[in-house]
Amino acid sequence: MVKVAIWGSLRSFTEGRAEVEVEAATTREMLDKLAEAYPGLRPQFERGVSVAVDGLVYKDAWFTPLKPDSEVVLMPLMVGG
Amino acid sequence: MALDDQSKAKRVFKVVGTRPLRPDGVDKVTGKALFGADLTAPGMLVAKILRSPHAHARIRAIDTSAAEAAPGVKAVVTAADFGAPADEAVRDVLVNCMAHDKALYDGHAVAAVAAISEAAAKAALKLIKVDYEVLPHVTDVDEAMKPGAPVVQAGRQVETVGEGFSENVTNYCEFGHGDVEAGFAKADHVIERSFRTEATHQGYIEPHACLASFASDGKADLWCCTQGQYMVRNLCSQIMGMEASQLRVTPSEIGGGFGGKTTVFIEPVALMLAKKSGRPVKIVMSRSEVLRATGPTCSSSMDIRIGMTRDGRITAGLARLRYQGGAFPCGTVEMGAMAAFAAYDLDAVRTEGWNAMTNRPKQAAYRAPGAPMSIYGVESVVDELCQHFGLDPLDVRMKNAAKAGTKASYGVTFTDIGLSACLSKAKAHPHYAAPLKAGQGRGVSCGFWFNFGGDTCVTLNVNMDGTVSVTEGNPDIGGSRASIGMMAAEELGVTFDKVRTQVVDTASLGYNEVTDGSRVTFAVGLATIKAAQAAKTVMCQRAAKIWGIDAEAVVWEDGCAKPSGPNAGDFPPMTLAEIAAVSSQTGGPIAGHHEVNADGAGVSFGVHLVDVEVDPETGATKVLRYTVFQDAGKAVHPSYVEGQMQGGAVQGIGWALNEEYIYGDDGRLQNAGFLDYRVPVASDLPMIDTVILEIPNPGHPYGVRGVGETSIVPPLAAIANAVSRAAGVRLTSLPMSPPRILAAMDAARLAAAAE
Amino acid sequence: MSRIHVNTTVNGDAVDFLCEPDETLLDALRNRLGLTGSKEGCGTGDCGACSVTLDGRLVCSCLVLAAEAEARAVGTIEGMAAGEALHPLQQKFIEMAALQCGICTPGILIAAKALLEKNPDPTETEVRYWLAGNLCRCTGYDKIIRAVMDTAADLRRA
């Protein structure tokens, strides 16, 4: 099980929880499982999310491995300039 | 087979960290380098674009018949010529390039003409009849959010936006942790201020330009100035309804981008005109078109509330950000909301952000999009709290600074970051101790940016003459050809003069993410190093074959293949040049390549110090002294790292003091030229001193962190804090142009006299 | 309206071209003579990217009509180097990283050359005010000013 941090404006779709647990070994699995458990998250996921794993930001990388003690933080998809 | 060990030992660099001459230097100082508008083609047509004079209008009909029949005209296009791409974001780009049923802002393209000369094209534009139904417009972010505001586009609101807002509000976001109300209760003083910043433009000196050709077999060629030829291919092929591989995009040299050239404005129009006319079509934007109809920043309206104890500890921070990004949904406020308190270690922090549509051009990125505005607000309030308690502004930053192990306001736990190091350096710097006279003020600010990696491909060919060709796909905006060549030379153990770096077209290499997010030295550098490592593997294998030993028994050291130990054999080392010379005979040409979606980009922090003098009679601000402190991880070519720090700082100075989009009551842009859109000139500024710190990024073989964007973030608050201290009154709206400073000083004088 | 036949000298060479009456010298240089080194950044004389010399005087070529070049001498960036040898300003700009994207560089070099021919020992303030008509968005001007002053010192020593 890995703990995933949910940002404030999405918490209304996770029953108010700032952190949820899912069984997942990769970021793709984690996002799929989250969307299954909390369908309200789907529209945001379709628009795009970045995932920060232990401090490194991945914009769209499905197979980034997750360990049970990984810090996983969802972030909106970001761009630079 | 063992390669040289560069993982754990503190590396001594031979090429990285030096200052060789950039390979494209001679072409650029002699005027030989070809930029977007410098290419012509046989049979070329010139195109001009008809633009809406209304801020908001329904387009009832467009009659192009007279234009089509005009002398020299070979093609006319409107929205009717384009299909509807499946992807919503791509549809928005298309509608921005050519209005559909509504003109959404002053300058929005409604039609285009290609003719045999510029004069013929201009004359034909006048013959296009557009039946506009003028609609009420809105250009201010707060006005656009109110229920009852003119709606720019219906049905664009996402599910997170609450009740009570107009349909113009497209996004809502919230970040943070802890109990802010409890945090404010613990503070000895709480300050809440509202701030406004106006939209600015990246201000690149080169207007957008492109040359498109479209053959009857469906293959197309596009030459354009862009930050990303693959992005252009991606967007244009989707808009044109063609396979990406049928469109070859060649990037010209680029005369500045800063984020503003990470999308397309004229390219699909040029392609469609080329397709319809069967001839090459060139489009060059004028400066007023660039300002009216490309991608300025958001403007913002913000409320910032921060509580502090009397010994300088921040107990809570709250930011409410309202950004407008023009006539389309825009996510920049999310980045502003995440970055706002990033420099601080806080137990309680909350940031909320809304985006609203207005009748303004579609926002594009500009160095650290979203962050300069929100950090301006936060750093101003922190400064005012320092003034309230009589505390040193750098000491307070240091006391609250984010460090390794800090949970950022956007949720991530930081690893090694350079903020405290920058703050200490700033505190110890002679600039901070220099005395100030009456009417002068000193301002400090922190800055932050995420930095990104992204899709990257590099191919490295070892030529038979012992030179090395590096093929990469990122336009060179700030000297990156030099840094990439330097990293290849370093990794291979050859001298810089042996390496040639080329930026190629979309047909020659796999996908590369645009030159943005401060990613090139980091990601392209990383891929170059890995490609060089792959080439070294091959070269060691060739040497092993020549010597008749096991490939495992060969190492690469100092630019040569060597036997790994006395047991391997007593063979003199073979240089890269020697191995390359017999590549054909030993198996074939030698190359290495690497493709990756690069991650591990480290965040970067900076601290700026500035001294200003405010003229009490005119409100004019003179920047007296400026020092930039920034963590670069590892400065590959220090001159170009300094250049990024200086350039970003000066753009921030312009944003703070003079630059703004001015809209009239009619919703039209009043200052669409460099005379009245006033960017900093040489006589406005002192030298910009730089201090580069190097706290290595563990995610890059040489420790590189992106540097290009962070330096635009601190100047807004640094200048605002300096001006506020010099003028004796706190200003909360940008730009702080002379009339505004004067008005604030006069009001303060009156208030003081009244007491 | 018929075109005007202009006879002029560009970088020491006698040349001629046909132009529209309302065509600028900048457009004639770029489109008629193929000299694309001078750039259009604004078309209104505010950015200096089109800087050339006209009978030795620094001008914005976007504010000069092509027809005005008749019987005069035009100097552009393409004439600044002498064959293989770069002008000392050009060489110094590369050495001191006084350019990033390079679009403003031709205009700034022409302007700086005009300054040093007029005033071989300018102060920093004089250089900044002389170059105030040449916008640069990439460098913040720091390395440009240093390169001009260093070159001035080198030339004085020579």
Side-chain angles (χ1 to χ4, degrees):
Chain A
M1 295 293 266
V2 68
K3 295 197 181 79
V4 182
I6 307 289
W7 78 78
S9 32
L10 290 186
R11 292 174 196 161
S12 56
F13 305 117
T14 59
E15 294 146 22
R17 281 200 271 276
E19 197 176 72
V20 295
E21 277 198 295
V22 281
E23 186 74 61
T26 66
T27 45
R28 174 85 251 158
E29 230 189 302
M30 181 266 298
L31 290 171
D32 285 344
K33 293 260 175 82
L34 277 180
E36 248 180 77
Y38 306 102
L41 293 175
R42 261 190 234 278
Q44 178 65 54
F45 287 3
E46 264 152 46
R47 284 194 295 274
V49 284
S50 303
V51 183
V53 181
D54 296 320
L56 297 185
V57 180
Y58 299 80
K59 270 165 73 164
D60 197 15
W62 290 351
F63 304 124
T64 310
L66 303 177
K67 300 190 299 295
D69 61 344
S70 293
E71 177 197 73
V72 180
V73 180
L74 292 187
M75 300 165 68
L77 206 57
M78 297 184 285
V79 292
Chain B
M1 182 232 75
L3 293 171
D4 52 334
D5 177 2
Q6 20 97 78
S7 46
K8 300 293 178 221
K10 177 105 202 262
R11 181 120 177 202
V12 173
F13 291 99
K14 295 206 176 95
V15 181
V16 163
T18 63
R19 300 175 191 246
L21 302 187
R22 61 191 283 173
D24 55 341
V26 173
D27 282 355
K28 293 199 166 151
V29 300
T30 54
K32 195 162 151 253
L34 293 176
F35 291 84
D38 295 338
L39 213 62
T40 56
M44 186 181 87
L45 303 173
V46 174
K48 287 281 164 207
I49 297 180
L50 184 66
R51 298 185 178 279
S52 166
H54 305 293
H56 196 193
R58 196 169 316 281
I59 298 172
R60 284 196 281 236
I62 305 184
D63 180 359
T64 57
S65 51
E68 287 171 56
V73 171
K74 301 299 175 190
V76 179
V77 301
T78 63
D81 290 289
F82 294 92
D87 184 290
E88 189 183 28
V90 177
R91 266 202 311 278
D92 280 347
V93 171
L94 169 57
V95 171
N96 192 46
C97 292
M98 189 61 71
H100 271 212
D101 53 337
K102 287 207 291 182
L104 296 171
Y105 54 89
D106 166 40
H108 195 177
V110 300
V113 169
I116 56 175
S117 70
E118 194 176 335
K122 278 182 175 167
L125 277 193
K126 293 195 179 131
L127 300 174
I128 299 179
K129 299 185 196 50
V130 186
D131 181 10
Y132 290 110
E133 178 197 334
V134 180
L135 300 169
H137 62 270
V138 60
T139 52
D140 176 78
V141 58
D142 289 326
E143 290 303 313
M145 289 179 69
K146 291 183 182 156
V151 174
V152 177
Q153 290 193 51
R156 300 308 302 266
Q157 212 168 56
V158 305
E159 74 286 353
T160 46
V161 178
E163 304 289 313
F165 298 108
S166 89
E167 250 192 292
N168 290 324
V169 178
T170 59
N171 302 65
Y172 170 71
C173 62
E174 190 191 310
F175 305 92
H177 56 260
D179 183 344
V180 288
E181 293 313 319
F184 287 128
K186 280 193 226 148
D188 291 315
H189 192 64
V190 176
I191 290 183
E192 174 157 1
R193 289 265 168 264
S194 295
F195 297 88
R196 293 183 69 86
T197 67
E198 189 39 81
T200 58
H201 193 275
Q202 302 83 356
Y204 33 83
I205 306 300
E206 177 199 31
H208 300 254
C210 69
L211 175 59
S213 60
F214 210 111
S216 49
D217 66 354
K219 290 196 184 58
D221 262 284
L222 184 63
W223 161 274
C224 60
C225 58
T226 178
Q227 288 175 247
Q229 60 274 40
Y230 298 87
M231 166 276 301
V232 173
R233 181 182 73 173
N234 216 11
L235 284 175
C236 287
S237 60
Q238 289 185 68
I239 287 171
M240 297 296 291
M242 62 194 290
E243 274 181 358
S245 56
Q246 293 284 69
L247 172 59
R248 179 176 60 177
V249 182
T250 306
S252 67
E253 294 303 320
I254 176 175
F258 317 112
K261 290 178 180 165
T262 57
T263 182
V264 296
F265 299 102
I266 52 174
E267 291 76 2
V269 177
L271 280 165
M272 191 58 84
L273 285 166
K275 185 173 186 194
K276 281 185 93 169
S277 65
R279 288 169 66 162
V281 171
K282 182 169 177 175
I283 303 186
V284 181
M285 282 181 117
S286 68
R287 178 53 52 183
S288 92
E289 285 183 290
V290 171
L291 288 167
R292 281 168 85 207
T294 58
T297 65
C298 296
S299 58
S300 76
S301 169
M302 310 180 279
D303 309 312
I304 311 283
R305 190 163 182 241
I306 300 181
M308 193 183 277
T309 61
R310 63 175 50 87
D311 65 334
R313 181 87 185 106
I314 299 175
T315 57
L318 172 64
R320 294 201 165 96
L321 314 173
R322 295 171 293 281
Y323 287 15
Q324 68 76 27
F328 298 82
C330 171
T332 298
V333 70
E334 290 161 356
M335 295 186 285
M338 288 193 283
F341 288 98
Y344 296 106
D345 181 0
L346 301 174
D347 291 327
V349 58
R350 189 163 81 235
T351 54
E352 299 173 8
W354 292 263
N355 179 75
M357 292 184 293
T358 60
N359 294 109
R360 293 208 199 195
K362 184 177 197 283
Q363 182 253 197
Y366 179 18
R367 265 178 154 141
M373 305 77 138
S374 62
I375 291 179
Y376 152 65
V378 168
E379 291 291 313
S380 294
V381 174
V382 171
D383 192 60
E384 203 181 337
L385 284 163
C386 293
Q387 283 181 301
H388 176 83
F389 289 120
L391 296 170
D392 178 282
L394 282 177
D395 285 343
V396 167
R397 291 337 188 277
M398 284 195 276
K399 197 173 199 124
N400 295 279
K403 324 183 195 335
T406 296
K407 181 170 172 168
S409 49
Y410 59 96
V412 165
T413 302
F414 286 131
T415 51
D416 276 315
I417 54 175
L419 178 58
S420 299
C422 285
L423 287 165
S424 307
K425 267 261 149 70
K427 185 96 198 276
H429 196 274
H431 182 168
Y432 204 61
L436 290 167
K437 304 202 213 27
Q440 297 180 349
R442 177 165 298 145
V444 318
S445 176
C446 298
F448 162 84
W449 188 243
F450 303 94
N451 299 328
F452 301 118
D455 285 328
T456 309
C457 299
V458 170
T459 298
L460 186 147
N461 287 285
V462 180
N463 304 312
M464 289 186 225
D465 64 357
T467 61
V468 175
S469 298
V470 177
T471 303
E472 52 118 346
N474 275 88
D476 183 353
I477 304 190
S480 51
R481 273 187 191 96
S483 340
I484 287 156
M486 289 167 75
M487 285 186 271
E490 183 76 55
E491 193 60 32
L492 292 169
V494 301
T495 51
F496 177 70
D497 65 317
K498 293 284 184 234
V499 181
R500 319 265 175 275
T501 306
Q502 302 289 340
V503 177
V504 296
D505 63 38
T506 55
S508 305
L509 199 60
Y511 194 92
N512 283 274
E513 178 68 37
V514 296
T515 296
D516 79 338
S518 311
R519 75 175 219 95
V520 174
T521 312
F522 166 72
V524 182
L526 179 124
T528 301
I529 291 165
K530 300 246 182 210
Q533 289 170 351
K536 284 192 292 190
T537 304
V538 174
M539 289 190 286
C540 286
Q541 285 165 352
R542 299 297 175 92
K545 270 203 194 139
I546 291 170
W547 295 328
I549 64 176
D550 219 27
E552 297 293 309
V554 180
V555 294
W556 189 272
E557 232 175 76
D558 301 321
C560 303
K562 297 180 177 166
S564 60
N567 293 344
D570 185 20
F571 302 102
M574 281 191 81
T575 63
L576 178 144
E578 285 167 343
I579 297 172
V582 294
S583 51
S584 193
Q585 296 86 328
T586 58
I590 295 169
H593 64 93
H594 192 73
E595 298 76 36
V596 65
N597 184 344
D599 44 58
V603 298
S604 95
F605 284 93
V607 173
H608 291 202
L609 296 181
V610 61
D611 296 347
V612 305
E613 186 173 293
V614 175
D615 184 328
E617 282 179 50
T618 63
T621 300
K622 191 169 164 58
V623 180
L624 300 169
R625 185 171 181 178
Y626 204 104
T627 312
V628 178
F629 303 83
Q630 192 169 326
D631 172 17
K634 177 70 199 167
V636 174
H637 192 311
S639 303
Y640 291 109
V641 174
E642 289 159 1
Q644 292 301 308
M645 292 160 73
Q646 292 166 330
V650 169
Q651 288 180 318
I653 291 171
W655 197 332
L657 289 176
N658 291 100
E659 294 177 44
E660 59 176 324
Y661 265 49
I662 302 174
Y663 280 92
D665 292 335
D666 58 359
R668 303 197 70 181
L669 183 62
Q670 306 285 296
N671 59 335
F674 276 140
L675 184 63
D676 296 315
Y677 182 84
R678 177 61 163 73
V679 305
V681 305
S683 52
D684 292 332
L685 301 162
M687 295 297 182
I688 309 292
D689 294 322
T690 58
V691 176
I692 300 174
L693 287 87
E694 294 183 315
I695 288 106
N697 169 19
H700 184 278
Y702 297 168
V704 168
R705 288 180 197 272
V707 297
E709 293 170 282
T710 303
S711 62
I712 201 175
V713 178
L716 278 63
I719 298 266
N721 291 340
V723 166
S724 300
R725 285 164 183 263
V729 57
R730 174 66 50 178
L731 282 105
T732 56
S733 134
L734 297 182
M736 294 172 293
S737 47
R740 294 205 179 110
I741 294 182
L742 209 54
M745 288 172 79
D746 287 345
R749 266 195 287 270
L750 280 173
E755 275 159 26
Chain C
M1 253 202 275
S2 55
R3 293 198 179 155
I4 300 176
H5 182 203
V6 177
N7 285 283
T8 183
T9 309
V10 177
N11 300 327
D13 295 325
V15 296
D16 71 319
F17 55 83
L18 290 173
C19 67
E20 303 291 343
D22 60 349
E23 194 168 319
T24 64
L25 176 58
L26 177 63
D27 282 342
L29 287 169
R30 290 178 54 84
N31 302 328
R32 309 284 180 192
L33 296 174
L35 296 168
T36 57
S38 308
K39 310 295 180 191
E40 175 162 328
C42 69
T44 52
D46 297 309
C47 76
C50 65
S51 298
V52 301
T53 55
L54 190 62
D55 286 343
R57 182 183 165 183
L58 182 65
V59 298
C60 282
S61 59
C62 73
L63 295 181
V64 176
L65 292 173
E68 293 184 75
E70 175 70 34
R72 292 162 94 170
V74 180
T76 73
I77 185 68
E78 287 90 348
M80 194 156 163
E84 254 195 312
L86 293 178
H87 186 282
L89 278 167
Q90 291 171 307
Q91 183 61 35
K92 189 70 74 169
F93 267 48
I94 302 176
E95 284 167 12
M96 291 186 67
L99 64 143
Q100 286 181 34
C101 79
I103 193 85
C104 72
T105 307
I108 292 199
L109 284 168
I110 291 289
K113 178 167 177 275
L115 168 64
L116 296 187
E117 282 165 3
K118 201 175 156 96
N119 176 359
D121 192 3
T123 62
E124 182 188 329
T125 304
E126 285 172 325
V127 176
R128 287 186 177 278
Y129 274 85
W130 185 271
L131 292 180
N134 290 82
L135 299 185
C136 173
R137 199 55 163 164
C138 293
T139 66
Y141 305 102
D142 182 297
K143 293 181 188 294
I144 291 174
I145 306 299
R146 289 182 203 271
V148 175
M149 299 200 58
D150 256 39
T151 309
D154 287 349
L155 290 173
R156 286 194 305 272
R157 271 193 287 272

